[in-house]
Amino acid sequence: MSRKRLAYHVKVGAFSLLLSSIFFVGLGAERSVTDAALAYASLVLLSVTLVLGPLSMLAPQPLQKLMPMRREIGVWSFFLALAHVLLLFHDHNWNVLRFFITPGDGGAWTINLTAWGIGNYLGLGALVLAAVLAATSNDWSFRALGLSSWKHLQQLNYTLFALSAFHTLVYLPVMKRSPAFWAVFWILTIITIGLQTIGFVKTVHKIKRSG
């Protein structure tokens, strides 16, 4: 890893811890919201990776220093999501299976299709996808895969955001979260989708003009 990339990780890592602390305090400063604070900080960083592109079309100069850090921002989004999951597992005594399957009659196990179970499956899918994207967010993967394949792989970031957003949306009523949680979720989602839509429209318009 180059010194520049290492410096980016230090900066983004420090911001990630600060952001998590802000959510922790803002959402109640209680042990019960620690994992949620990590999850929300992770979702914010994921949103940033998606909105930096559209924002750079609207205000390119202020974002010049942030654009090169998109890889590191995505990686730290994964780190926070992983910490969120590990903390949940710890709080449930590492009984991981209970998140996804439930004991049935006669000792058989069945897939948990409750809202809580579905939310867990969405979260698992998001975590696996985030791990793949984080593992390939480096120069070695870029050279090994080639520009076209690497870009196609990184476009799974959109799928990752969708999985993360639906996971959060399912979990909010299950965990009976306060209005503050709902407000943060909808603000993040609307901003992300809105800026992505603006970026798409501007790109299509630019292609039509040049074509």
Side-chain angles (χ1 to χ4, degrees):
M1 182 185 298
S2 66
R3 289 186 177 180
K4 180 184 291 186
R5 288 295 172 188
L6 181 58
Y8 287 164
H9 272 292
V10 171
K11 291 178 181 178
V12 177
F15 177 74
S16 299
L17 294 176
L18 175 62
L19 187 60
S20 300
S21 300
I22 291 173
F23 274 117
F24 175 72
V25 174
L27 295 174
E30 299 176 358
R31 175 65 181 80
S32 60
V33 302
T34 304
D35 65 281
L38 292 169
Y40 270 77
S42 173
L43 189 60
V44 169
L45 293 183
L46 178 58
S47 297
V48 170
T49 65
L50 292 174
V51 302
L52 274 179
L55 282 176
S56 66
M57 298 179 184
L58 303 174
Q61 292 301 322
L63 296 172
Q64 284 182 353
K65 293 183 178 180
L66 289 179
M67 287 294 289
M69 297 185 192
R70 276 200 296 185
R71 290 190 203 174
E72 287 71 26
I73 294 172
V75 169
W76 277 92
S77 174
F78 164 68
F79 287 161
L80 293 178
L82 180 61
H84 159 70
V85 171
L86 292 178
L87 185 58
L88 277 177
F89 287 167
H90 172 74
D91 288 345
H92 289 82
N93 297 315
W94 298 97
N95 187 4
V96 177
L97 288 179
R98 74 182 298 271
F99 283 84
F100 307 104
I101 56 178
T102 54
D105 296 333
W109 290 82
T110 58
I111 296 176
N112 189 341
L113 294 178
T114 64
W116 188 66
I118 292 172
N120 291 333
Y121 279 107
L122 290 170
L124 177 63
L127 185 67
V128 171
L129 188 53
V132 171
L133 292 174
T136 55
S137 294
N138 51 69
D139 293 336
W140 183 88
S141 297
F142 180 83
R143 291 191 296 268
L145 294 173
L147 176 61
S148 179
S149 297
W150 188 83
K151 280 190 172 182
H152 277 96
L153 179 62
Q154 293 301 313
Q155 284 179 347
L156 289 174
N157 219 20
Y158 300 105
T159 304
L160 173 58
F161 181 80
L163 286 172
S164 301
F166 280 116
H167 163 71
T168 306
L169 188 59
V170 170
Y171 241 79
L172 282 171
V174 171
M175 300 305 293
K176 298 179 180 179
R177 296 299 189 186
S178 67
F181 284 87
W182 286 91
V184 172
F185 168 75
W186 283 116
I187 290 171
L188 278 176
T189 303
I190 291 171
I191 289 176
T192 303
I193 295 176
L195 286 173
Q196 277 292 315
T197 302
I198 292 173
F200 175 76
V201 171
K202 287 182 71 67
T203 300
V204 170
H205 183 64
K206 183 179 179 179
I207 292 174
K208 285 184 177 181
R209 280 176 42 181
S210 61

